[in-house]
Amino acid sequence: MSLLSFIDKLDDQCIRYVIILLLWADYIWETYLSIRQFGVAKSTVQIPHQLKDVMKNDEYEKARNYSIAKLKFGFVKQFHSIIINTVVIHQGILAEIWRFTEGINPFMDEVSTSCIWLVLLQLMTTLLDLPFTIYYNFVLEEAFGFNKQTAGFFVWDKIKQFLVLQIITTMVASIVIVVVKNGGDFFFIYLWAIVGVLTLVLLTIYPAVIAPLFDKYNRLAEGELKSDIEALAASLKFPLTDLYVVEGSKRSSHSNAYFYGLFKSKRIVLFDTLLAKDDGSGCDNDEILAVLSHELGHWSRNHNIKNLVIGQVNLFLLFTVFGVTFKYPKLYTALGFYRSKPVLVGLFVVLQYVMMPYNTVLSFLMTVLSRKFEFEADDFAVQQNKGVALERSLLKLNKDNSGFPVHDWLYSVWHFLILLYYSVLKL
């Protein structure tokens, strides 16, 4: 029996309950894993003997309390989310907002109605999440010394994020609707190709055009570090064109480093929080080079290209399923859309609900692949004789970010794949 045949035997209310059941199943599973991890964090009061040489008592206690605080926050936020999603599905709120949008839209065409509907949904989501975002940054992160945002910076940052998101999503949504409406029976092929091109364009312009709207980027000053990074890039034939430092310290004290760019034009970005400070935080030059050796390992092993190819294959599969199912009436009526079958609503239902079990499995498999890539990048750094410095840098970054080093085995397998990966290696 095909999926559509099965759906055809169900009434609207039953389909609605199936969607809610899938949402709650995912929520219960993730909450169960978090409860297990919460128990480990609460009970592991003493530093495990394996870590006594790499963490001090106060560092361990801060990391443990930080982990407990984030888990508690997650319990409340996820419960809030599942209740909101349940109410939205059960009460047909998506359809109510659509009918309201039709009433206020003077143009009465599907493209403009869909764009207004999307903006209203994102506005509602932003407002519902805002109290949690404020609490996380100005209470939880502040308590552990990580938040560096002022209230004014936070407000302006959120306004910019919302405006940029609306420009991008409404543009993409408009293109999707036009392609679906005019692409014929094989519209999903054209849709996949166009969205693939848009993805590459956004990946190209985001670091150079969009990211600077939110953070200040400065070229790395001349000196030993810059010379060493350029020498490392040259030795690996990495086509480095620019070195930047981003002022991440205005937002948070967490650290990071990455590279971006296509073909023969690559740029490396260091967070200013990664650089060594007088208070002992950050990394020394050799440790920064080790971190960059790890990142360049991803480039050398073509991990970004592999992820891009996998993403495009997955996108084609999702659009193919959408092409088969999006005209099916019950996918709309189950959510309260009785008079119309908007393309954007159909895409949302298929990608968010119909494909939910597939998305969960895919997420797990991508975590497996991500772990494999991370270990390969570590191995690449070791091959560049950066293993000892990489170990020191990872320990420092874990300390600076208050990473809790003890995990429940099942939580670890699902989220990090550490136990599973090493089990495979031993075989």
Side-chain angles (χ1 to χ4, degrees):
M1 180 185 295
S2 69
L3 177 62
L4 291 181
S5 298
F6 173 73
I7 293 175
D8 194 39
K9 296 180 180 298
L10 304 176
D11 59 24
D12 294 345
Q13 188 176 27
C14 189
I15 294 174
R16 194 178 306 124
Y17 286 141
V18 168
I19 292 174
I20 293 173
L21 178 64
L22 289 173
L23 289 172
W24 275 88
D26 181 70
Y27 164 76
I28 291 170
W29 170 245
E30 290 291 345
T31 301
Y32 168 69
L33 293 177
S34 295
I35 289 173
R36 292 178 62 104
Q37 176 59 21
F38 183 78
V40 169
K42 288 286 287 185
S43 62
T44 314
V45 179
Q46 301 297 324
I47 303 179
H49 65 88
Q50 301 96 324
L51 301 173
K52 288 185 179 295
D53 294 334
V54 298
M55 292 188 79
K56 298 177 182 178
N57 286 329
D58 59 334
E59 294 169 351
Y60 178 82
E61 187 62 16
K62 179 182 178 181
R64 191 176 77 89
N65 290 330
Y66 184 47
S67 176
I68 291 171
K70 288 194 296 182
L71 286 166
K72 286 180 178 178
F73 173 81
F75 290 140
V76 176
K77 187 175 188 302
Q78 293 308 314
F79 182 72
H80 171 267
S81 296
I82 190 64
I83 293 300
I84 293 296
N85 286 330
T86 301
V87 171
V88 166
I89 299 301
H90 189 268
Q91 300 299 321
I93 291 178
L94 295 177
E96 291 295 335
I97 296 175
W98 181 269
R99 284 188 280 273
F100 171 79
T101 303
E102 287 182 319
I104 65 172
N105 181 21
F107 303 105
M108 296 302 293
D109 65 289
E110 185 173 335
V111 172
S112 60
T113 300
S114 297
C115 289
I116 298 172
W117 178 77
L118 193 59
V119 170
L120 291 177
L121 281 181
Q122 291 175 337
L123 178 61
M124 182 180 72
T125 301
T126 299
L127 293 176
L128 288 172
D129 284 343
L130 188 59
F132 293 96
T133 306
I134 292 173
Y135 178 88
Y136 184 81
N137 284 283
F138 291 98
V139 179
L140 195 157
E141 291 281 285
E142 186 80 26
F144 291 92
F146 292 122
N147 178 55
K148 302 301 178 184
Q149 301 178 77
T150 63
F153 179 92
F154 175 84
V155 171
W156 179 229
D157 193 57
K158 290 302 173 186
I159 292 173
K160 287 189 292 184
Q161 286 180 15
F162 184 81
L163 293 176
V164 171
L165 180 63
Q166 303 323 303
I167 292 171
I168 295 174
T169 54
T170 53
M171 176 191 69
V172 174
S174 300
I175 294 173
V176 168
I177 295 168
V178 171
V179 172
V180 173
K181 289 288 189 181
N182 300 282
D185 293 336
F186 298 99
F187 75 86
F188 58 92
I189 297 177
Y190 308 125
L191 185 61
W192 168 71
I194 292 172
V195 171
V197 171
L198 286 175
T199 301
L200 290 176
V201 170
L202 289 173
L203 286 174
T204 302
I205 69 172
Y206 177 83
V209 178
I210 300 176
L213 296 175
F214 302 97
D215 296 295
K216 187 177 180 180
Y217 289 74
N218 299 306
R219 281 189 167 84
L220 181 63
E222 296 292 336
E224 182 182 351
L225 179 58
K226 183 178 180 181
S227 298
D228 289 344
I229 293 175
E230 290 173 341
L232 173 65
S235 69
L236 299 174
K237 295 182 172 56
F238 179 77
L240 178 63
T241 55
D242 278 304
L243 273 168
Y244 291 100
V245 176
V246 59
E247 293 185 359
S249 56
K250 288 186 176 180
R251 187 182 302 277
S252 168
S253 61
H254 293 299
S255 305
N256 201 0
Y258 62 92
F259 72 87
Y260 68 93
L262 297 176
F263 309 113
K264 298 298 182 180
S265 179
K266 308 285 188 185
R267 296 167 176 82
I268 288 177
V269 176
L270 306 176
F271 278 52
D272 58 351
T273 49
L274 184 65
L275 306 180
K277 307 291 188 304
D278 293 337
D279 61 3
S281 63
C283 295
D284 297 329
N285 286 4
D286 63 330
E287 294 163 350
I288 293 174
L289 290 173
V291 171
L292 290 178
S293 293
H294 169 94
E295 294 301 321
L296 296 183
H298 288 302
W299 165 78
S300 178
R301 299 291 187 262
N302 296 313
H303 293 162
N304 291 348
I305 294 176
K306 291 174 183 177
N307 279 328
L308 187 61
V309 170
I310 292 171
Q312 291 305 309
V313 171
N314 177 58
L315 195 63
F316 183 78
L317 174 62
L318 293 175
F319 284 159
T320 301
V321 174
F322 172 61
V324 174
T325 60
F326 88 104
K327 290 184 178 180
Y328 199 69
K330 288 195 174 183
L331 292 178
Y332 298 87
T333 56
L335 298 181
F337 289 86
Y338 298 104
R339 294 183 303 172
S340 59
K341 294 185 291 185
V343 167
L344 207 58
V345 173
L347 183 64
F348 176 80
V349 171
V350 171
L351 301 190
Q352 188 76 12
Y353 302 133
V354 174
M355 301 299 289
M356 189 184 302
Y358 164 80
N359 290 334
T360 300
V361 173
L362 179 66
S363 176
F364 179 77
L365 294 177
M366 289 304 295
T367 303
V368 174
L369 185 64
S370 174
R371 286 293 94 191
K372 181 177 184 297
F373 286 171
E374 290 302 319
F375 285 121
E376 287 180 358
D378 287 342
D379 183 62
F380 180 86
V382 170
Q383 292 175 16
Q384 309 307 312
N385 297 317
K386 298 290 193 298
V388 175
L390 180 63
E391 182 180 352
R392 289 201 315 270
S393 66
L394 292 177
L395 290 172
K396 277 189 176 182
L397 291 173
N398 188 71
K399 182 193 74 172
D400 291 346
N401 291 299
S402 290
F404 187 59
V406 185
H407 294 93
D408 168 72
W409 73 268
L410 186 57
Y411 181 93
S412 178
V413 168
W414 185 257
H415 289 288
F416 310 125
L417 273 300
I418 294 175
L419 295 178
L420 178 60
Y421 185 77
Y422 278 115
S423 298
V424 172
L425 284 181
K426 290 177 181 178
L427 292 177

